[in-house]
Amino acid sequence: MSHDAPPSISSVEDYPTLRIIRLRGPIDQTTVSEIDNFRKWVGKQHGFKQKNILLDFRQVTHMDTAAVAEIMQAVSELKNAHFRVGVVHLSEMYRDMLRVLRVDGWLEFY
C-alpha cells in the first residue's frame, strides 16, 4: 500500500546521514498534522533510518504559530534522540516568530 506525501511536502531527499524535507504552500496546524502522520507512517516502513533533518522553507507561503508549536514538538523529539535539525530559506519574519516563542535555539539556520 502506498502512502503519498501530503501536499505541503514537495519532496523528501535522502542522503547517508541527512534527510532534506522541502516544504511548500501554507503551513498551519492542519498541514503540520498531515506531515506528522506522514512522518509516523514513514517511520514504520521497513529499512527506515532516522537521520538529521534539514527543513527547506523556500516554497512556504505562510506559517502560523500553531504550526511552529507542532514543528517544535517534532524537533524536540529529534533533539532528545540526538539528531540535529536545520532550516534553510526561512524568512526573517518567521525567524522572528521563533525568537518570540524562544525556540530559535533548537534549530540550526543555514
Side-chain angles (χ1 to χ4, degrees):
M1 176 176 158
S2 119
H3 193 283
D4 294 327
S8 50
I9 297 178
S10 65
S11 68
V12 176
E13 300 168 21
D14 271 320
Y15 298 94
T17 60
L18 176 69
R19 180 168 290 120
I20 300 174
I21 301 172
R22 300 194 191 279
L23 303 170
R24 68 175 166 209
I27 305 293
D28 57 23
Q29 190 168 6
T30 302
T31 55
V32 170
S33 177
E34 291 170 354
I35 292 169
D36 191 48
N37 289 338
F38 179 70
R39 179 181 64 86
K40 289 174 183 171
W41 178 84
V42 168
K44 293 176 184 173
Q45 300 311 299
H46 177 71
F48 176 77
K49 179 183 174 198
Q50 193 66 270
K51 300 178 182 185
N52 295 316
I53 301 289
L54 182 64
L55 299 171
D56 183 348
F57 284 85
R58 180 186 310 253
Q59 298 176 42
V60 170
T61 57
H62 170 77
M63 187 167 62
D64 65 18
T65 54
V68 171
E70 294 283 336
I71 290 170
M72 290 298 90
Q73 177 63 38
V75 168
S76 174
E77 291 171 14
L78 286 165
K79 287 188 74 63
N80 287 338
H82 306 289
F83 290 96
R84 296 166 58 190
V85 180
V87 175
V88 293
H89 304 120
L90 187 65
S91 74
E92 197 59 38
M93 179 177 76
Y94 296 127
R95 280 191 190 204
D96 289 344
M97 184 188 299
L98 294 174
R99 284 185 197 105
V100 167
L101 295 171
R102 297 185 176 176
V103 294
D104 57 319
W106 296 9
L107 300 166
E108 296 179 42
F109 295 93
Y110 300 101

